[in-house]
Amino acid sequence: MLIEIAKGDFTAALRQYKKTVPFPGIISRICDQPCQDVCKRAEAGDAIAIRNLERACVDIGESSSEKSRPLPKRGGKIAVIGGGVSGLTAAYDLARKGYAVTIIEADSRLGGSLWKVDRDFLPAKTIEDDVNAVIKLGVVIRLNTPINQELHDLRRDFNAIYVAIGAHTVERFDLDQDEYGFVKVDAVTFATSMDGVFAGGGLRWGKEMHSAITSISEGRRAAISIDRYLQKVSLTASRINEGTYPSCLYTNMQGIEPHPVIDANDHQQGYEWNEAIQEAKRCLQCECMECVKACEYLKQFERYPKRYVREIYNNLSIVKGTRHANTFINSCSLCGLCGEICPEHLDMASVNLTARREMVEQNRMPPSAFDFALRDMQFSNSDKFELARNRPGTDMSDTVFFPGCQLSASSPDHVESVYAYLNNHLTDSRVGLMLGCCGAPANWAGQSALFESTLAAWRTQLQAMGNPKVILPCSSCYQVFKNHMPGVEIVSLWEIYDQCGLPAFAGTVEPANCAIAIHDPCTTRYETSIQDSVRRIVQRMGYQIEELPLSRERTECCSYGGLMWLSNRELAHKVIQRRVAASQADYVTYCAMCRDFFASHGKRALHLLDLIYNRDTPGVSEIPGASAQTTDERAARRGPGYSQRHENRARLKRKLLKTIWGEEMDGAQAYESIRLIIADEVRVKLEQRLILTEDIQRVIEYAERTGRRLLNQGTGHTLAYFKPTSVTYWVEYLRQADGFAIYNAYSHRMEVPGSGQLS
Amino acid sequence: MTEQQPAEPPPWMCANCNLPLGLSKVDVGYLGNAFPVDLLKCPNCGLVFIPEDLALGKMADVEKQLEDK
Ligand SMILES: [Zn+2]
């Protein structure tokens, strides 16, 4: 309502006001403003002058001639005894629900104690207008009718009774009373000792006009009880937050300038329109937007979390029609920052993850949303990369190193270094190795069945190795193991470095950049011990740590979480940009994806292993495991593209198998031997379009084998299409002596004839 | 024929059958929906031609709409 007034739209404000109160004319004049006691504005100026604003609505706003909607008809006759504010409210609400209501009033007019209010303040016309609104609803009015019979007898003519006589009567009827002689009434339902008889208003409190707003509230709540009573449903179920209740709403008052209340020029007449606008503008619109301020995702969709939750719920129940919330649900990084910030711990991560699972369950998940990441996971858990070996010469493992899919893709050299380190430092432990993807992408994509089967495969594998303790550098893997594989013992690699010491050559030069900012991956949000270990390691190597404004339990996601980077790439860019702008210092992090995403936006960023396995010290480059690049070079390097990530994983497996276990990998597929010649600008395009080298190789292999291709008579280029799984890829190429030159590639998901046999 | 007007079909031919492509109604489908669309197609083997701007424009839009249905 105040938003509309602030905009100067009094008619819209009045419409809003009428939705919340039954008698706008009366209430806007006699409202005793109980809400002023809790108004946050009072902390910076004065509480909002709500009654004056209500009155301005009624006086200035144009009352749209209420369309007389046909009322529903419900069986049930209700007597309301007493035509005061409380009784009128109950009668109004019940009549609008379709019940036949009769008001029985001892006096010669309706309104009760309203008539005792100063006429200048509350003109007779205002009372009459509002009371007429009740009569217009078809409520039967019996004036000058004191109750001369017992309620028991009256009950015979009515299905329910609301006793709302004021405190001025001594009449207590045949109802149970408390020790002070007041009628005993249930505090929630307003039920009395007699079945079907409810009571409220002054009678209950024993004093006159204790508060008009309370009387209205009681009349309204009694009407709810009567309706439920007549519908034969529970009177008490889910009735919290009726009447007044302390709000959980949190409003940050920081930076809010104090402004005093606007005084009406003419107190008698109330606010002029411009005064009302000024006053309404003082309203803070107490919506707690703390999470929205901290989250680019919530900000982007421009709404308030509670509204989001409702929209997600609606989205899931759409049977036919467009599901507008799909993109919203699938764009969340599931990082949990909102839940951490929210004073009420409303966490969009669990809401969105549940929604994704539900969508998959209903077979309504857009295939394009997460498909690419799921195929990446499938690659990692295929023969190309998946591997599990005990240390040579052993048939069991006490510990097993599980580097995860992305560190192996970004920095395969580090995986080798770490495995060597573990074997050297954990001397009393047989250290095995496991390569693959933990299953996190399937979990994020809502693919519960795929996630479960992936976990089951790892469980079986670990059992076969003698249930070793799993050493994890990646915190996403860490969360998967921790939360979904109970019984499997895990330890973070960073805790091992912290406890067992760093390699001798780590951090031995004086760092060029003294201060370095630590970015905690969002999957370590509540892993204080890991965060502490990382800080000790960085300090031990001689760096000064700069803490980012949002770190540790308030850290931000790099956009990899929840697969946001894939499902909403535009938003992901904004998220990364925001994060890299938090400090000028170089970042050090301990998640390969965080590092690569920051670097992709020009931010100098290092993986913690880049610091440990540097080659800055002269002579260190000869030490096995030391990187080929200096720390400075590594901070500036761009991460590998999607095709290269596959390639790096496959090569890592091949190399480790050969160097550590002396095994050769089995033969490759026919398409893998196809040599491609790709110019840089084409490569950029492929990367942007999520087209992998292997996709192109498959198309060419198919086209060259079957002869199914198009020829451009102008350029002599070949164009072919093929659908290996769910996406059809088109490749324009030219066969050359030393391979195939690639000119263009694009893809679509719609199925067209002739796209190959595989599916 | 080399300096094409924009409306002229691109000079792709079926290398399989050595035939020029002709405009024809082709069924394209997605998520259980199917639509007839006018596409260039080999009259003999049925190989079709989907230009880049169609795949990345109209087709991508329709895919998105169907996915949210
Ligand atoms: Zn043909």
Side-chain angles (χ1 to χ4, degrees):
Chain A
M1 177 178 94
L2 268 60
I3 291 184
E4 286 89 0
I5 301 178
K7 285 188 203 148
D9 189 349
F10 288 87
T11 302
L14 178 59
R15 214 178 303 130
Q16 195 65 34
Y17 183 50
K18 279 179 159 180
K19 272 193 205 163
T20 30
V21 300
F23 310 116
I26 295 169
I27 295 169
S28 66
R29 285 166 180 271
I30 63 165
C31 175
D32 44 329
Q33 317 186 91
C35 60
Q36 280 196 331
D37 294 345
V38 291
C39 178
K40 294 294 281 184
R41 200 11 132 177
E43 293 170 31
D46 306 289
I48 294 291
I50 189 70
R51 184 177 56 222
N52 278 343
L53 288 174
E54 291 170 42
R55 193 177 152 187
C57 275
V58 175
D59 290 353
I60 305 170
E62 269 180 55
S63 189
S64 50
S65 52
E66 210 158 88
K67 280 172 245 143
S68 49
R69 268 174 298 161
L71 295 169
K73 275 276 167 262
R74 278 193 190 158
K77 286 172 68 184
I78 299 157
V80 172
I81 302 175
V85 183
S86 181
L88 284 168
T89 303
Y92 177 83
D93 284 357
L94 289 165
R96 278 163 60 104
K97 282 197 156 77
Y99 294 106
V101 182
T102 303
I103 297 178
I104 304 169
E105 169 59 51
D107 205 351
S108 60
R109 60 187 175 183
L110 294 175
S113 49
L114 290 174
W115 294 102
K116 294 184 187 152
V117 179
D118 186 346
R119 283 286 74 77
D120 289 335
F121 206 58
L122 182 61
K125 170 107 176 35
T126 306
I127 301 177
E128 282 158 8
D129 282 354
D130 277 356
V131 166
N132 277 336
V134 180
I135 299 170
K136 267 195 214 156
L137 289 172
V139 172
V140 176
I141 315 288
R142 289 189 203 156
L143 297 174
N144 307 307
T145 314
I147 303 293
N148 295 324
Q149 55 191 141
E150 289 293 330
L151 287 178
H152 270 298
D153 300 331
L154 196 62
R155 261 300 260 119
R156 270 184 228 122
D157 301 327
F158 294 96
N159 303 93
I161 299 174
Y162 180 47
V163 184
I165 49 176
H168 52 279
T169 69
V170 287
E171 183 62 80
R172 296 289 179 262
F173 303 109
D174 34 358
L175 300 171
D176 283 0
Q177 297 164 25
D178 61 19
E179 62 255 50
Y180 304 104
F182 297 123
V183 170
K184 264 204 214 161
V185 170
D186 184 281
V188 174
T189 65
F190 298 88
T192 64
S193 55
M194 197 184 295
D195 178 56
V197 176
F198 300 79
L203 158 111
R204 193 163 92 85
W205 298 86
K207 56 181 175 332
E208 203 71 21
M209 284 300 282
H210 53 289
S211 156
I213 288 293
T214 313
S215 283
I216 286 168
S217 169
E218 290 190 4
R220 183 145 273 189
R221 285 144 72 197
I224 293 172
S225 291
I226 292 169
D227 181 38
R228 289 185 176 204
Y229 174 78
L230 294 176
Q231 306 249 18
K232 299 191 166 50
V233 294
S234 165
L235 293 186
T236 50
S238 52
R239 294 195 70 163
I240 45 163
N241 293 358
E242 278 183 12
T244 63
Y245 57 93
S247 166
C248 313
L249 195 60
Y250 169 76
T251 304
N252 186 346
M253 296 297 288
Q254 225 171 22
I256 290 176
E257 274 181 48
H259 288 293
V261 67
I262 304 291
D263 221 13
N265 188 33
D266 181 338
H267 281 258
Q268 195 72 38
Q269 287 303 311
Y271 277 146
E272 297 280 333
W273 67 272
N274 55 334
E275 291 168 334
I277 291 173
Q278 287 315 309
E279 178 62 9
K281 279 184 177 165
R282 289 202 316 128
C283 176
L284 301 175
Q285 294 297 332
C286 286
E287 274 183 335
C288 170
M289 300 293 266
E290 292 306 293
C291 57
V292 180
K293 285 183 213 157
C295 174
E296 198 63 37
Y297 156 71
L298 291 173
K299 204 176 192 172
Q300 161 126 356
F301 287 86
E302 292 185 318
R303 306 248 172 77
Y304 182 63
K306 280 198 179 145
R307 174 134 180 227
Y308 288 136
V309 173
R310 196 164 59 237
E311 284 180 9
I312 289 169
Y313 177 76
N314 290 343
N315 198 70
L316 292 174
S317 40
I318 291 172
V319 178
K320 256 179 117 89
T322 305
R323 298 173 162 224
H324 293 287
N326 280 357
T327 307
F328 174 74
I329 293 167
N330 290 336
S331 297
C332 175
S333 72
L334 309 177
C335 80
L337 177 57
C338 55
E340 168 57 31
I341 285 181
C342 174
E344 285 301 297
H345 299 291
L346 174 61
D347 183 14
M348 292 308 292
S350 56
V351 174
N352 281 320
L353 185 57
T354 309
R356 289 182 195 181
R357 289 180 183 146
E358 186 82 5
M359 284 159 73
V360 171
E361 186 83 1
Q362 295 178 356
N363 213 5
R364 305 299 281 272
M365 177 58 86
S368 65
F370 304 116
D371 188 42
F372 185 77
L374 293 171
R375 280 187 285 140
D376 188 55
M377 174 177 151
Q378 192 181 26
F379 174 92
S380 292
N381 289 339
S382 73
D383 285 347
K384 298 251 181 302
F385 181 55
E386 199 266 336
L387 178 77
R389 287 284 187 283
N390 297 306
R391 200 160 74 184
T394 64
D395 56 1
M396 282 289 185
S397 294
D398 305 302
T399 51
V400 62
F401 178 43
F402 185 75
C405 59
Q406 298 298 14
L407 179 64
S408 307
S410 294
S411 303
D413 51 340
H414 286 335
V415 173
E416 287 178 69
S417 308
V418 174
Y419 190 52
Y421 163 88
L422 292 171
N423 273 304
N424 290 335
H425 281 73
L426 307 181
T427 41
D428 52 353
S429 172
R430 292 166 295 181
V431 189
L433 180 73
M434 246 171 34
L435 299 180
C437 167
C438 65
N443 187 31
W444 289 334
Q447 301 281 348
S448 307
L450 176 61
F451 183 47
E452 285 305 324
S453 63
T454 307
L455 296 176
W458 289 127
R459 253 183 239 119
T460 310
Q461 193 56 64
L462 287 167
Q463 243 159 32
M465 298 173 92
N467 294 316
K469 183 195 255 191
V470 186
I471 301 172
L472 302 159
C474 168
S475 44
S476 298
C477 299
Y478 191 91
Q479 291 308 324
V480 165
F481 276 79
K482 181 177 170 178
N483 298 318
H484 302 278
M485 284 198 257
V488 174
E489 213 187 331
I490 55 171
V491 60
S492 159
L493 174 65
W494 317 117
E495 289 171 316
I496 293 194
Y497 278 119
D498 183 23
Q499 284 151 24
C500 303
L502 295 166
F505 49 81
T508 45
V509 279
E510 208 170 314
N513 265 327
C514 298
I516 198 157
I518 292 187
H519 164 80
D520 298 300
C522 61
T523 36
T524 66
R525 187 172 306 289
Y526 299 112
E527 304 299 340
T528 320
S529 150
I530 298 177
Q531 293 165 351
D532 290 344
S533 284
V534 165
R535 281 161 176 75
R536 280 194 291 269
I537 294 169
V538 173
Q539 265 165 351
R540 228 171 277 161
M541 287 190 290
Y543 289 87
Q544 278 171 30
I545 294 172
E546 183 190 311
E547 289 291 352
L548 292 172
L550 291 175
S551 66
R552 293 185 178 261
E553 76 279 0
R554 294 217 158 182
T555 191
E556 290 177 282
C557 175
C558 70
S559 83
Y560 182 65
L563 303 175
M564 175 205 275
W565 69 273
L566 177 63
S567 58
N568 195 331
R569 292 158 84 188
E570 206 177 308
L571 172 63
H573 286 303
K574 286 189 198 160
V575 165
I576 300 167
Q577 262 158 5
R578 176 178 171 138
R579 186 58 174 169
V580 300
S583 164
Q584 294 292 310
D586 288 6
Y587 285 5
V588 64
T589 183
Y590 38 114
C591 163
M593 291 315 291
C594 295
R595 197 222 73 89
D596 285 356
F597 277 137
F598 297 155
S600 75
H601 282 61
K603 179 73 185 176
R604 288 172 51 87
L606 289 157
H607 193 276
L608 189 46
L609 291 171
D610 295 331
L611 282 187
I612 298 175
Y613 296 97
N614 68 62
R615 51 150 280 169
D616 299 349
T617 319
V620 153
S621 57
E622 283 92 63
I623 295 172
S627 163
Q629 290 171 309
T630 63
T631 307
D632 197 47
E633 286 163 347
R634 286 198 87 99
R637 82 188 189 281
R638 296 288 167 114
Y642 302 119
S643 300
Q644 191 60 47
R645 302 184 82 82
H646 278 200
E647 183 62 31
N648 285 350
R649 286 178 202 144
R651 270 193 212 155
L652 176 67
K653 174 179 176 178
R654 200 174 303 131
K655 188 174 177 193
L656 291 171
L657 261 184
K658 191 167 180 177
T659 55
I660 300 177
W661 287 275
E663 294 176 31
E664 290 289 344
M665 250 172 95
D666 294 342
Q669 305 270 353
Y671 67 83
E672 290 175 64
S673 59
I674 291 176
R675 199 171 162 266
L676 305 181
I677 303 151
I678 309 176
D680 283 348
E681 66 267 23
V682 177
R683 216 173 265 286
V684 170
K685 197 193 269 184
L686 299 179
E687 192 69 8
Q688 211 263 324
R689 293 178 177 176
L690 303 175
I691 298 174
L692 303 177
T693 307
E694 63 208 63
D695 300 325
I696 292 176
Q697 286 171 321
R698 281 194 173 103
V699 175
I700 294 177
E701 191 278 328
Y702 171 78
E704 294 294 311
R705 175 164 49 81
T706 60
R708 293 175 69 81
R709 49 206 171 161
L710 304 172
L711 176 70
N712 189 305
Q713 292 151 290
T715 60
H717 291 178
T718 299
L719 182 68
Y721 62 106
F722 179 59
K723 175 170 163 277
T725 49
S726 48
V727 176
T728 303
Y729 297 96
W730 290 75
V731 180
E732 183 181 339
Y733 65 92
L734 187 63
R735 182 173 206 149
Q736 293 180 346
D738 54 345
F740 294 85
I742 309 302
Y743 296 98
N744 194 13
Y746 48 94
S747 70
H748 54 77
R749 289 177 170 272
M750 294 197 100
E751 289 159 31
V752 296
S755 59
Q757 309 311 312
L758 295 179
S759 65
Chain B
M1 95 153 245
T2 39
E3 309 305 319
Q4 303 120 336
Q5 284 93 45
E8 204 158 308
W12 292 102
M13 58 176 293
C14 180
N16 204 20
C17 313
N18 209 15
L19 285 172
L21 307 181
L23 214 52
S24 169
K25 280 257 186 280
V26 174
D27 268 338
V28 303
Y30 193 48
L31 301 174
N33 306 274
F35 327 85
V37 177
D38 281 322
L39 290 177
L40 286 167
K41 179 181 157 183
C42 171
N44 182 45
C45 71
L47 218 56
V48 300
F49 169 64
I50 297 199
E52 180 178 17
D53 54 356
L54 177 63
L56 304 183
K58 190 74 198 294
M59 262 177 135
D61 292 345
V62 175
E63 281 167 14
K64 172 95 182 81
Q65 281 168 28
L66 292 174
E67 287 189 340
D68 288 343
K69 270 271 179 297

